[in-house]
Amino acid sequence: QVQLVESGGGLVQAGGSLRLSCAASGSILSINAMGWYRQAPGKQRELVAAITRGGSTNYSDSVKGRFTISRDNAKNTVYLQMNSLKPEDTAVYYCNAAGVWYGLGRRGDYWGQGTQVTVSS
């Protein structure tokens, strides 16, 4: 099986920074895309940023210029550097791995358990 473990969430004041990490473990052969989603209370889960195995990135308009996604393919780990945080960034942040090839040629998509990010004003 494949597991995603997130870390790095917490409480920060507006204007501050946090760095989220998500490590995928298991008999992983390769991962196509990795990304971060977030869900605020009463709202739908939304894409924050995603990155392909080749390094192509995609950001939601609300975080462009403030957040940076990166990944280490050798470690099957994705990072999200969040700068200039705003109260509206408060949410549970979920890691996603899409197109995970593992074991004897099996494929699946996986989610982490979520990590809380709270930005105080």
Short mmCIF file of all heavy atoms in Angstrom, two decimals, residues 34-36 48-51 55-59 67-71 78-81:
data_model
loop_
_atom_site.label_atom_id
_atom_site.label_comp_id
_atom_site.label_asym_id
_atom_site.label_seq_id
_atom_site.Cartn_x
_atom_site.Cartn_y
_atom_site.Cartn_z
N MET A 34 1.87 15.45 -7.98
CA MET A 34 1.63 15.64 -6.56
C MET A 34 1.10 17.05 -6.35
O MET A 34 1.46 17.96 -7.10
CB MET A 34 2.90 15.41 -5.75
CG MET A 34 3.51 14.04 -5.92
SD MET A 34 4.91 13.71 -4.84
CE MET A 34 4.05 13.33 -3.29
N GLY A 35 0.25 17.19 -5.37
CA GLY A 35 -0.34 18.51 -5.18
C GLY A 35 -0.85 18.72 -3.78
O GLY A 35 -0.85 17.81 -2.95
N TRP A 36 -1.28 19.95 -3.57
CA TRP A 36 -1.86 20.35 -2.30
C TRP A 36 -3.25 20.92 -2.55
O TRP A 36 -3.45 21.73 -3.46
CB TRP A 36 -1.01 21.40 -1.61
CG TRP A 36 0.30 20.88 -1.12
CD1 TRP A 36 1.50 20.91 -1.78
CD2 TRP A 36 0.55 20.24 0.12
NE1 TRP A 36 2.46 20.31 -1.02
CE2 TRP A 36 1.91 19.90 0.17
CE3 TRP A 36 -0.25 19.92 1.23
CZ2 TRP A 36 2.49 19.25 1.26
CZ3 TRP A 36 0.32 19.27 2.31
CH2 TRP A 36 1.67 18.95 2.32
N VAL A 48 -4.80 23.97 -4.47
CA VAL A 48 -3.91 25.08 -4.15
C VAL A 48 -2.78 25.13 -5.17
O VAL A 48 -2.51 26.16 -5.78
CB VAL A 48 -3.34 24.93 -2.73
CG1 VAL A 48 -2.34 26.03 -2.44
CG2 VAL A 48 -4.46 24.93 -1.69
N ALA A 49 -2.09 24.01 -5.32
CA ALA A 49 -0.96 23.94 -6.25
C ALA A 49 -0.69 22.48 -6.58
O ALA A 49 -0.96 21.60 -5.77
CB ALA A 49 0.28 24.58 -5.65
N ALA A 50 -0.14 22.25 -7.77
CA ALA A 50 0.21 20.91 -8.20
C ALA A 50 1.49 20.96 -9.00
O ALA A 50 1.83 22.00 -9.59
CB ALA A 50 -0.92 20.29 -9.03
N ILE A 51 2.19 19.82 -9.04
CA ILE A 51 3.45 19.74 -9.77
C ILE A 51 3.57 18.36 -10.38
O ILE A 51 3.28 17.34 -9.73
CB ILE A 51 4.64 20.06 -8.83
CG1 ILE A 51 5.96 20.08 -9.62
CG2 ILE A 51 4.71 19.11 -7.65
CD1 ILE A 51 7.12 20.67 -8.82
N GLY A 55 8.20 18.59 -13.26
CA GLY A 55 8.41 19.90 -12.67
C GLY A 55 7.46 20.99 -13.13
O GLY A 55 7.58 22.13 -12.68
N SER A 56 6.51 20.68 -13.99
CA SER A 56 5.53 21.69 -14.38
C SER A 56 4.59 21.95 -13.22
O SER A 56 4.15 21.02 -12.55
CB SER A 56 4.73 21.20 -15.59
OG SER A 56 5.57 21.04 -16.71
N THR A 57 4.29 23.23 -13.01
CA THR A 57 3.48 23.61 -11.85
C THR A 57 2.20 24.32 -12.26
O THR A 57 2.09 24.88 -13.35
CB THR A 57 4.27 24.54 -10.91
OG1 THR A 57 4.68 25.70 -11.64
CG2 THR A 57 5.49 23.84 -10.35
N ASN A 58 1.24 24.27 -11.35
CA ASN A 58 -0.05 24.93 -11.54
C ASN A 58 -0.49 25.46 -10.18
O ASN A 58 -0.42 24.75 -9.18
CB ASN A 58 -1.08 23.92 -12.07
CG ASN A 58 -2.43 24.56 -12.31
OD1 ASN A 58 -2.52 25.69 -12.76
ND2 ASN A 58 -3.49 23.83 -12.03
N TYR A 59 -0.93 26.72 -10.15
CA TYR A 59 -1.34 27.35 -8.89
C TYR A 59 -2.74 27.94 -9.04
O TYR A 59 -3.13 28.40 -10.11
CB TYR A 59 -0.40 28.50 -8.53
CG TYR A 59 1.01 28.08 -8.21
CD1 TYR A 59 1.99 28.07 -9.20
CD2 TYR A 59 1.37 27.72 -6.91
CE1 TYR A 59 3.29 27.70 -8.91
CE2 TYR A 59 2.68 27.36 -6.61
CZ TYR A 59 3.62 27.34 -7.62
OH TYR A 59 4.92 26.97 -7.32
N PHE A 67 2.81 31.38 -2.76
CA PHE A 67 3.12 29.98 -2.46
C PHE A 67 4.00 29.40 -3.56
O PHE A 67 3.87 29.76 -4.73
CB PHE A 67 1.85 29.15 -2.39
CG PHE A 67 0.94 29.45 -1.23
CD1 PHE A 67 1.13 30.54 -0.40
CD2 PHE A 67 -0.14 28.61 -0.96
CE1 PHE A 67 0.29 30.81 0.67
CE2 PHE A 67 -0.99 28.85 0.10
CZ PHE A 67 -0.77 29.96 0.90
N THR A 68 4.87 28.47 -3.16
CA THR A 68 5.73 27.78 -4.12
C THR A 68 5.69 26.29 -3.83
O THR A 68 5.96 25.87 -2.70
CB THR A 68 7.18 28.28 -4.04
OG1 THR A 68 7.21 29.68 -4.29
CG2 THR A 68 8.05 27.57 -5.07
N ILE A 69 5.37 25.51 -4.86
CA ILE A 69 5.36 24.06 -4.72
C ILE A 69 6.63 23.50 -5.34
O ILE A 69 7.12 24.00 -6.36
CB ILE A 69 4.10 23.44 -5.37
CG1 ILE A 69 3.98 21.96 -5.01
CG2 ILE A 69 4.09 23.65 -6.88
CD1 ILE A 69 2.65 21.34 -5.41
N SER A 70 7.17 22.47 -4.70
CA SER A 70 8.36 21.79 -5.23
C SER A 70 8.29 20.32 -4.83
O SER A 70 7.48 19.95 -3.97
CB SER A 70 9.64 22.45 -4.70
OG SER A 70 9.69 22.36 -3.28
N ARG A 71 9.12 19.51 -5.46
CA ARG A 71 9.13 18.09 -5.11
C ARG A 71 10.51 17.51 -5.27
O ARG A 71 11.32 18.00 -6.06
CB ARG A 71 8.10 17.32 -5.93
CG ARG A 71 8.39 17.23 -7.40
CD ARG A 71 7.23 16.57 -8.15
NE ARG A 71 7.24 15.12 -8.06
CZ ARG A 71 6.35 14.33 -8.63
NH1 ARG A 71 5.33 14.85 -9.32
NH2 ARG A 71 6.44 13.01 -8.52
N VAL A 78 6.73 16.05 -1.59
CA VAL A 78 6.31 17.33 -2.15
C VAL A 78 6.27 18.35 -1.03
O VAL A 78 5.96 18.02 0.12
CB VAL A 78 4.95 17.21 -2.87
CG1 VAL A 78 3.83 16.86 -1.89
CG2 VAL A 78 4.62 18.49 -3.61
N TYR A 79 6.62 19.59 -1.37
CA TYR A 79 6.67 20.68 -0.40
C TYR A 79 5.77 21.82 -0.86
O TYR A 79 5.55 22.01 -2.06
CB TYR A 79 8.10 21.19 -0.25
CG TYR A 79 9.12 20.13 0.05
CD1 TYR A 79 9.86 19.53 -0.99
CD2 TYR A 79 9.34 19.69 1.35
CE1 TYR A 79 10.79 18.55 -0.72
CE2 TYR A 79 10.28 18.71 1.63
CZ TYR A 79 10.99 18.14 0.59
OH TYR A 79 11.92 17.16 0.85
N LEU A 80 5.31 22.59 0.11
CA LEU A 80 4.58 23.80 -0.20
C LEU A 80 5.11 24.91 0.70
O LEU A 80 4.88 24.88 1.92
CB LEU A 80 3.07 23.63 -0.01
CG LEU A 80 2.22 24.83 -0.44
CD1 LEU A 80 2.27 24.99 -1.96
CD2 LEU A 80 0.77 24.67 0.02
N GLN A 81 5.84 25.83 0.12
CA GLN A 81 6.32 27.00 0.85
C GLN A 81 5.26 28.08 0.76
O GLN A 81 4.91 28.51 -0.34
CB GLN A 81 7.64 27.49 0.27
CG GLN A 81 8.19 28.74 0.95
CD GLN A 81 8.60 28.50 2.38
OE1 GLN A 81 9.24 27.48 2.69
NE2 GLN A 81 8.24 29.41 3.27
#
